[in-house]
């Protein structure tokens, strides 16, 4: 009886011992004894152990098909979930003798891991052939999926979580990959979606009239391709649909008009934009898809929505287009009746009012497009292969030089320009620019915090370009070096004819020009330009 009593007391004491605290005695995590601790104490103990464990911050060596990837835990969201680990430790049964080892709960961002691993090891295995339904005209064609062999994000994540803290490389296996949409389901989509969709037109009915969507437009905008899991989710692509029926939409829609700058009495003036009315095809897309699969009603009722201008007067006001920052003028001969002069004025008319937003780059070629006969340009002398010869758009280089200098003296960033091969005294040496579609361009970047508005003006003998904005620099000036390495022209006799343009010849030379940016009475920075001019031959039109 005495012995039995001793055993009972011992068992009672042992029971009290193993149940003290939140964590049962005998429980360890990462080698740390958590028995008898509260949840807070256990969490603090685990965090201390993790902070001292180099494995938790060291790059993880992951192997795939013999290819290695070294990824940092922080880059893929690989970590120990301390709270979940403590919960698991607290949920177990106590051990009076020995220990109960609880594995830490590891988490990882499966998507980030998959992306990083794929970038590191490249293509492995065999890609899965994704299912799709394509159209040849109005005939749908089923593309059946084929299984592949590759990385499965979920399997990869589980493998990395399990092997992370083992101390060795983690071997990630490849698995057979299957498309979420099966071949039978592709065939079913052909019958239930693709074929009915192009069987007849759709009609969009609005207060401004109706728009007929022909089957060909439906085929172009119906998307039946799979996502990266191989799942086909039928949808109408609103952008493709708008392109396919653009002409029909124009009969019921009114385009919004952006606010813009005009010039009045030689100064910029803001003209408010106007709202437009349009069909929200993105919002209509689900209804259009439903109607396209219907054999009965294929008419959708729609309400025209208000389309606000992309750029309003308030936005233009904030751009700080308030003063003439720079202006530059060059002279041209021949009067306005000359084809060359007419080309200069045509380019000036096109560019007048161009607005360049902060951070944007202006390209003269992109802004005007091709400068050909259809755009109103005429034949005038151009330099091709070192020879002056008639060419469409000749003279636009003078406008380009004038524009270049206006932006140059406005202090804007030069992105691309090329001086002429020969020097012409109607231009400032070095700081001038030619242009030729499409190979030679002139570009500048608006690197100021304000908008840049370009104004142009002309007389019978001059072209002027002005830049309106808010001044960043007090003044921009130029200093030139002396001309050096001067070379004399040779004489070249060319066959007489309409393609021969005689010249008196010009010396060649090399020269530097420094752009000086002035602020608060001192030069804040200097920018050097250097150019070598070839000697222009003295061309004589006569016998060969």
């Amino acid at each position: 009886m005495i012995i039995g009593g001793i055993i009972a007391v011992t068992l009672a004491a042992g029971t009290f011992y193993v149940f003290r605290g939140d964590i049962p005695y005998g429980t360890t995590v990462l080698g740390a004894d958590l028995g008898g601790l509260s949840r807070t104490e256990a969490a603090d103990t685990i965090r201390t152990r993790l902070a001292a464990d180099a494995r938790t911050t060291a790059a993880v060596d992951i192997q795939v098909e013999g290819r290695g990837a070294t990824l940092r835990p922080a880059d893929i969201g690989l970590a120990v979930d301390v709270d979940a680990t403590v919960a698991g430790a607290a949920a177990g049964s106590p051990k009076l003798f020995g220990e109960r080892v609880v594995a830490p709960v590891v988490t990882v961002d499966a998507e980030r891991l998959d992306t990083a691993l794929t970038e590191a090891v490249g293509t492995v295995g065999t890609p899965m052939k994704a299912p799709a339904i394509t159209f040849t005209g109005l005939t749908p064609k089923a593309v059946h999926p084929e299984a592949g062999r590759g990385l499965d994000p979920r399997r990869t994540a589980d493998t990395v979580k399990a092997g992370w803290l083992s101390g060795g490389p983690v071997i990630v296996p490849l698995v057979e990959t299957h498309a979420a949409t099966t071949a039978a389901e592709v065939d079913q989509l052909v019958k239930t979606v693709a074929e009915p969709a192009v069987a007849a037109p759709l009609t969009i009915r609005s207060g401004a009239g109706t728009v007929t969507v022909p089957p060909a437009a439906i085929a172009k905008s119906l998307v039946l391709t799979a996502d990266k899991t191989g799942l086909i989710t039928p949808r109408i692509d609103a952008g493709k649909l708008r392109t396919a029926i653009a002409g029909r939409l124009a009969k019921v829609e009114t385009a919004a008009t952006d606010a813009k700058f005009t010039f009045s009495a030689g100064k910029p003036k803001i003209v408010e934009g106007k709202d437009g009315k349009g069909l929200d095809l993105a919002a209509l897309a689900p209804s259009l898809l439903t109607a396209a699969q219907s054999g009965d009603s294929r008419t959708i009722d729609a309400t025209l929505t208000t389309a606000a201008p992309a750029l309003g007067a308030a936005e233009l006001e904030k751009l700080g287009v308030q003063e003439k920052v720079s202006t530059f003028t060059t002279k041209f001969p021949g009067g306005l009746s000359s084809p060359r002069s007419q080309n200069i004025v045509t380019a000036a008319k096109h560019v007048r009012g161009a607005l360049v937003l902060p951070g944007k780059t202006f390209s003269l070629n992109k802004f005007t497009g091709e400068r050909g006969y259809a755009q109103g340009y005429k034949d005038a002398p151009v330099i091709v292969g070192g020879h002056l010869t008639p060419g469409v758009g000749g003279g636009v280089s003078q406008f380009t030089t004038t524009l270049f200098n206006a932006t140059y003296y406005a202090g804007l960033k030069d992105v691309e320009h090329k001086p002429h091969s020969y020097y012409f005294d109607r231009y400032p040496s070095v700081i001038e620019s030619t242009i030729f579609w499409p190979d030679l361009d002139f570009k500048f970047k608006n690197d100021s915090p304000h908008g840049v508005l370009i104004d142009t003006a002309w007389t019978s003998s001059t072209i002027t370009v002005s830049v309106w904005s808010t001044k960043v620099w007090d003044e921009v000036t130029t200093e030139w070096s002396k001309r050096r390495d001067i070379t004399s022209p040779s004489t070249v006799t060319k066959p007489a004819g309409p393609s021969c343009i005689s010249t008196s010849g010009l010396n060649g030379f090399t020269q530097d020009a420094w752009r000086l940016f002035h602020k608060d009475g001192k030069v804040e920075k200097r920018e050097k330009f250097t150019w070598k001019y070839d000697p222009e031959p003295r061309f004589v039109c006569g016998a060969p």
Side-chain angles (χ1 to χ4, degrees):
M1 290 297 292
I2 294 174
I3 294 174
I6 292 172
I7 293 174
V9 170
T10 301
L11 289 174
T15 301
F16 174 76
Y17 173 79
V18 295
F19 279 105
R20 286 188 62 190
D22 296 317
I23 311 300
Y25 275 93
T27 303
T28 64
V29 173
L30 295 172
D33 185 1
L34 305 183
L37 300 181
S38 66
R39 288 175 180 262
T40 301
E41 292 170 332
D44 290 341
T45 301
I46 293 174
R47 290 190 179 96
T48 299
R49 181 57 61 95
L50 290 173
D53 192 335
R55 294 175 300 175
T56 60
T57 55
V60 187
D61 180 12
I62 302 177
Q63 301 288 324
V64 182
E65 293 280 283
R67 302 183 189 180
T70 304
L71 306 179
R72 297 189 308 167
D75 293 340
I76 56 177
L78 186 61
V80 172
D81 185 333
V82 175
D83 293 337
T85 302
V86 169
S93 300
K95 294 183 72 70
L96 187 57
F97 304 103
E99 66 177 12
R100 166 178 162 260
V101 178
V102 175
V105 177
V106 177
T107 60
V108 70
D109 187 318
E111 185 174 345
R112 285 164 59 190
L113 170 60
D114 183 61
T115 300
L117 189 56
T118 301
E119 289 179 354
V121 302
T123 302
V124 290
T126 305
M128 171 189 70
K129 181 181 178 181
I133 298 172
T134 61
F135 281 93
T136 301
L138 299 181
T139 304
K141 176 186 177 182
V143 178
H144 290 153
E146 294 179 6
R149 182 170 170 270
L151 292 169
D152 176 71
R154 181 184 299 178
R155 179 71 176 273
T156 299
D158 290 342
T159 303
V160 171
K161 287 192 294 184
W164 174 32
L165 299 175
S166 65
V170 179
I171 310 298
V172 173
L174 298 184
V175 299
E176 191 172 79
T177 56
H178 296 273
T181 300
T182 65
E185 290 170 333
V186 172
D187 293 337
Q188 184 68 13
L189 286 172
V190 170
K191 297 294 183 184
T192 59
V193 178
E195 290 178 348
V198 297
L202 292 171
T203 300
I204 303 174
R205 187 165 54 196
S206 73
T210 60
V211 176
T212 300
V213 183
I218 299 172
K220 290 179 180 178
S221 57
L222 179 58
V223 179
L224 292 166
T225 52
D227 61 16
K228 67 179 183 179
T229 68
L231 176 66
I232 297 178
T233 303
R235 64 183 178 87
I236 297 289
D237 186 308
K240 292 180 179 179
L241 178 59
R242 177 165 290 280
T243 300
I245 59 172
R248 298 168 185 263
L249 289 173
K251 298 177 181 179
V252 299
E253 294 185 327
T254 304
T257 303
D258 286 347
K260 64 179 182 179
F261 284 102
T262 60
F263 290 94
S264 177
K267 294 184 178 181
K269 176 184 176 182
I270 295 175
V271 177
E272 181 61 273
K274 294 182 180 179
D275 288 342
K277 294 287 185 180
L279 292 171
D280 188 346
L281 296 183
L284 292 175
S287 298
L288 288 170
L289 181 62
T290 300
Q293 299 173 68
S294 171
D296 301 323
S297 176
R298 296 176 71 88
T299 298
I300 302 298
D301 288 318
T303 301
L304 289 172
T305 59
T306 299
L311 196 61
E315 285 75 23
L316 294 187
E317 289 280 3
K318 296 175 183 177
L319 291 176
V321 177
Q322 60 187 17
E323 59 184 324
K324 188 180 290 186
V325 174
S326 68
T327 188
F328 198 82
T329 300
T330 59
K331 294 181 179 181
F332 55 79
L336 292 179
S337 62
S338 160
R340 183 178 183 279
S341 304
Q342 292 175 30
N343 289 338
I344 294 171
V345 172
T346 299
K349 288 178 178 179
H350 198 149
V351 174
R352 190 180 196 215
L355 177 65
V356 186
L357 298 177
K360 298 299 182 180
T361 296
F362 174 91
S363 160
L364 186 54
N365 273 347
K366 184 176 181 181
F367 191 85
T368 65
E370 184 174 2
R371 294 173 294 276
Y373 301 119
Q375 293 75 32
Y377 292 90
K378 304 178 184 302
D379 281 331
V382 296
I383 300 175
V384 178
H387 298 264
L388 275 174
T389 185
V392 63
V396 175
S397 288
Q398 176 147 3
F399 173 76
T400 306
T401 287
T402 313
L403 175 61
F404 168 64
N405 273 267
T407 60
Y408 171 99
Y409 283 109
L412 299 169
K413 183 177 181 179
D414 174 45
V415 175
E416 178 183 341
H417 84 280
K418 182 181 180 183
H420 289 79
S421 305
Y422 307 138
Y423 173 65
F424 302 105
D425 60 7
R426 59 180 171 266
Y427 305 144
S429 58
V430 183
I431 51 173
E432 47 98 358
S433 180
T434 184
I435 195 166
F436 195 83
W437 175 270
D439 303 311
L440 294 178
D441 198 2
F442 164 61
K443 298 178 184 178
F444 74 88
K445 181 178 181 180
N446 178 8
D447 56 347
S448 80
H450 314 289
V452 164
L453 180 67
I454 299 173
D455 188 18
T456 62
W458 54 89
T459 68
S460 61
S461 61
T462 63
I463 178 68
T464 298
V465 177
S466 300
V467 172
W468 288 80
S469 187
T470 294
K471 279 194 172 184
V472 174
W473 303 101
D474 295 339
E475 186 182 17
V476 177
T477 61
T478 303
E479 290 182 356
W480 281 271
S481 71
K482 290 183 178 181
R483 296 178 182 181
R484 60 186 183 273
D485 302 329
I486 297 174
T487 52
S488 300
S490 60
T491 299
V492 177
T493 301
K494 299 173 63 178
S499 63
C500 181
I501 299 174
S502 62
T503 65
S504 57
L506 294 169
N507 286 338
F509 60 90
T510 299
Q511 192 173 22
D512 305 316
W514 286 270
R515 178 160 61 157
L516 310 181
F517 298 79
H518 300 260
K519 189 77 170 178
D520 298 329
K522 61 180 181 180
V523 176
E524 287 283 339
K525 65 175 182 176
R526 299 165 62 93
E527 187 177 15
K528 184 180 180 181
F529 296 84
T530 300
W531 189 249
K532 177 183 178 182
Y533 288 102
D534 296 328
E536 181 189 29
R538 177 176 173 266
F539 289 112
V540 177
C541 298

PDB file of all heavy atoms in Angstrom, residues 389-400:
ATOM      1  N   THR A 389      21.958  67.285-105.164  1.00  0.00           N
ATOM      2  CA  THR A 389      21.093  66.745-106.203  1.00  0.00           C
ATOM      3  C   THR A 389      19.652  67.046-105.838  1.00  0.00           C
ATOM      4  O   THR A 389      19.325  67.166-104.648  1.00  0.00           O
ATOM      5  CB  THR A 389      21.305  65.224-106.354  1.00  0.00           C
ATOM      6  OG1 THR A 389      20.532  64.742-107.453  1.00  0.00           O
ATOM      7  CG2 THR A 389      20.895  64.484-105.090  1.00  0.00           C
ATOM      8  N   PRO A 390      18.749  67.198-106.800  1.00  0.00           N
ATOM      9  CA  PRO A 390      17.349  67.466-106.464  1.00  0.00           C
ATOM     10  C   PRO A 390      16.748  66.278-105.704  1.00  0.00           C
ATOM     11  O   PRO A 390      16.978  65.118-106.045  1.00  0.00           O
ATOM     12  CB  PRO A 390      16.676  67.646-107.828  1.00  0.00           C
ATOM     13  CG  PRO A 390      17.788  68.000-108.762  1.00  0.00           C
ATOM     14  CD  PRO A 390      18.979  67.254-108.259  1.00  0.00           C
ATOM     15  N   GLY A 391      15.987  66.579-104.675  1.00  0.00           N
ATOM     16  CA  GLY A 391      15.327  65.530-103.883  1.00  0.00           C
ATOM     17  C   GLY A 391      14.131  66.100-103.166  1.00  0.00           C
ATOM     18  O   GLY A 391      14.124  67.269-102.762  1.00  0.00           O
ATOM     19  N   VAL A 392      13.089  65.272-102.976  1.00  0.00           N
ATOM     20  CA  VAL A 392      11.879  65.741-102.314  1.00  0.00           C
ATOM     21  C   VAL A 392      12.190  66.135-100.873  1.00  0.00           C
ATOM     22  O   VAL A 392      12.890  65.430-100.159  1.00  0.00           O
ATOM     23  CB  VAL A 392      10.773  64.664-102.369  1.00  0.00           C
ATOM     24  CG1 VAL A 392      11.184  63.402-101.629  1.00  0.00           C
ATOM     25  CG2 VAL A 392       9.462  65.199-101.811  1.00  0.00           C
ATOM     26  N   GLY A 393      11.698  67.302-100.469  1.00  0.00           N
ATOM     27  CA  GLY A 393      11.882  67.774 -99.093  1.00  0.00           C
ATOM     28  C   GLY A 393      13.150  68.562 -98.874  1.00  0.00           C
ATOM     29  O   GLY A 393      13.459  68.920 -97.729  1.00  0.00           O
ATOM     30  N   GLY A 394      13.911  68.861 -99.932  1.00  0.00           N
ATOM     31  CA  GLY A 394      15.122  69.645 -99.760  1.00  0.00           C
ATOM     32  C   GLY A 394      14.820  70.983 -99.111  1.00  0.00           C
ATOM     33  O   GLY A 394      13.852  71.658 -99.462  1.00  0.00           O
ATOM     34  N   GLY A 395      15.631  71.358 -98.146  1.00  0.00           N
ATOM     35  CA  GLY A 395      15.409  72.597 -97.414  1.00  0.00           C
ATOM     36  C   GLY A 395      14.908  72.387 -96.006  1.00  0.00           C
ATOM     37  O   GLY A 395      15.028  73.285 -95.154  1.00  0.00           O
ATOM     38  N   VAL A 396      14.350  71.207 -95.720  1.00  0.00           N
ATOM     39  CA  VAL A 396      13.841  70.942 -94.367  1.00  0.00           C
ATOM     40  C   VAL A 396      14.990  70.953 -93.364  1.00  0.00           C
ATOM     41  O   VAL A 396      14.789  71.210 -92.175  1.00  0.00           O
ATOM     42  CB  VAL A 396      13.058  69.612 -94.328  1.00  0.00           C
ATOM     43  CG1 VAL A 396      12.621  69.270 -92.913  1.00  0.00           C
ATOM     44  CG2 VAL A 396      11.842  69.693 -95.232  1.00  0.00           C
ATOM     45  N   SER A 397      16.214  70.713 -93.839  1.00  0.00           N
ATOM     46  CA  SER A 397      17.363  70.786 -92.936  1.00  0.00           C
ATOM     47  C   SER A 397      17.507  72.184 -92.340  1.00  0.00           C
ATOM     48  O   SER A 397      17.979  72.328 -91.206  1.00  0.00           O
ATOM     49  CB  SER A 397      18.647  70.402 -93.672  1.00  0.00           C
ATOM     50  OG  SER A 397      18.682  69.024 -93.929  1.00  0.00           O
ATOM     51  N   GLN A 398      17.127  73.231 -93.098  1.00  0.00           N
ATOM     52  CA  GLN A 398      17.210  74.583 -92.545  1.00  0.00           C
ATOM     53  C   GLN A 398      16.212  74.745 -91.410  1.00  0.00           C
ATOM     54  O   GLN A 398      16.537  75.334 -90.373  1.00  0.00           O
ATOM     55  CB  GLN A 398      16.951  75.647 -93.612  1.00  0.00           C
ATOM     56  CG  GLN A 398      16.945  77.058 -93.027  1.00  0.00           C
ATOM     57  CD  GLN A 398      17.467  78.115 -93.962  1.00  0.00           C
ATOM     58  OE1 GLN A 398      17.809  77.840 -95.106  1.00  0.00           O
ATOM     59  NE2 GLN A 398      17.529  79.343 -93.480  1.00  0.00           N
ATOM     60  N   PHE A 399      15.003  74.203 -91.588  1.00  0.00           N
ATOM     61  CA  PHE A 399      14.046  74.242 -90.478  1.00  0.00           C
ATOM     62  C   PHE A 399      14.578  73.438 -89.297  1.00  0.00           C
ATOM     63  O   PHE A 399      14.458  73.843 -88.139  1.00  0.00           O
ATOM     64  CB  PHE A 399      12.681  73.695 -90.904  1.00  0.00           C
ATOM     65  CG  PHE A 399      11.723  73.574 -89.758  1.00  0.00           C
ATOM     66  CD1 PHE A 399      11.102  74.690 -89.233  1.00  0.00           C
ATOM     67  CD2 PHE A 399      11.477  72.339 -89.154  1.00  0.00           C
ATOM     68  CE1 PHE A 399      10.244  74.595 -88.148  1.00  0.00           C
ATOM     69  CE2 PHE A 399      10.616  72.234 -88.071  1.00  0.00           C
ATOM     70  CZ  PHE A 399      10.002  73.372 -87.571  1.00  0.00           C
ATOM     71  N   THR A 400      15.196  72.270 -89.573  1.00  0.00           N
ATOM     72  CA  THR A 400      15.751  71.428 -88.514  1.00  0.00           C
ATOM     73  C   THR A 400      16.817  72.167 -87.721  1.00  0.00           C
ATOM     74  O   THR A 400      16.843  72.128 -86.485  1.00  0.00           O
ATOM     75  CB  THR A 400      16.348  70.139 -89.112  1.00  0.00           C
ATOM     76  OG1 THR A 400      15.367  69.493 -89.910  1.00  0.00           O
ATOM     77  CG2 THR A 400      16.806  69.192 -88.012  1.00  0.00           C
TER      78      THR A 400
END
